[in-house]
Amino acid sequence: MTIIATGTETPEVAGELSRLCKQLLCTAKSSRDRAAVQALVEERTILELPAVQHALIIDTSRSAKVGLEALSGRQYGLGLDEQQLAFLGLVLSMFGIGITTLAAVQDLDDRRLPIILRAILRLSGNDTIAVGTRL
């Protein structure tokens, strides 16, 4: 996936966000993890928040790594709006973290709903069903 700068962020912020997205995608160990991480990367607004970035990055003796488990316990203190919380809860449930029900999709807007639908298809291993607007 290509991440496009919106023009409202500085090049340093765009570069850091791009590195974080790449690091998240590289550290995804299973297809389940990749589906969830890809959804988070596509949504982007959650990853742009400094509180989320701070919660995600875990410094180890070898290097920094991404720890999505840290988001679960802190998700309500990250300054997310209702839709971002619903989206993050659904993504974390793909990792097996948290207890968000599928009914949370009713809280998503027209931009986030297709992202979750594509993630569910990736999670199932199905690459034949398209997500888009019905005619």
Side-chain angles (χ1 to χ4, degrees), residues 104-125:
V105 297
Q106 65 189 355
D107 295 329
L108 300 179
D109 60 13
D110 290 344
R111 186 181 72 80
R112 290 182 178 99
L113 182 58
I115 295 170
I116 284 295
L117 293 174
R118 285 190 299 273
I120 290 170
L121 291 172
R122 276 188 219 105
L123 187 62
S124 73

Side-chain angles (χ1 to χ4, degrees), residues 5-102:
T6 61
T8 60
E9 56 211 8
T10 65
E12 298 85 30
V13 172
E16 287 177 30
L17 182 60
S18 179
R19 279 190 296 278
L20 176 60
C21 291
K22 287 177 186 174
Q23 188 176 9
L24 276 168
L25 291 167
C26 288
T27 58
K29 295 178 180 129
S30 67
S31 58
R32 177 185 71 173
D33 292 353
R34 277 189 295 282
V37 165
Q38 184 66 40
L40 200 54
V41 167
E42 284 181 39
E43 195 279 342
R44 188 176 174 139
T45 67
I46 294 171
L47 291 177
E48 287 176 338
L49 297 172
V52 171
Q53 293 176 15
H54 181 71
L56 274 174
I57 304 301
I58 299 170
D59 288 325
T60 65
S61 59
R62 292 176 29 202
S63 65
K65 72 174 199 171
V66 176
L68 286 158
E69 298 81 12
L71 286 180
S72 178
R74 299 173 66 184
Q75 68 188 33
Y76 295 101
L78 295 172
L80 303 176
D81 63 32
E82 187 176 316
Q83 287 190 24
Q84 288 171 321
L85 277 172
F87 186 90
L88 182 59
L90 288 163
V91 168
L92 290 175
S93 72
M94 292 177 154
F95 284 103
I97 302 170
I99 55 170
T100 301
T101 65
L102 194 53

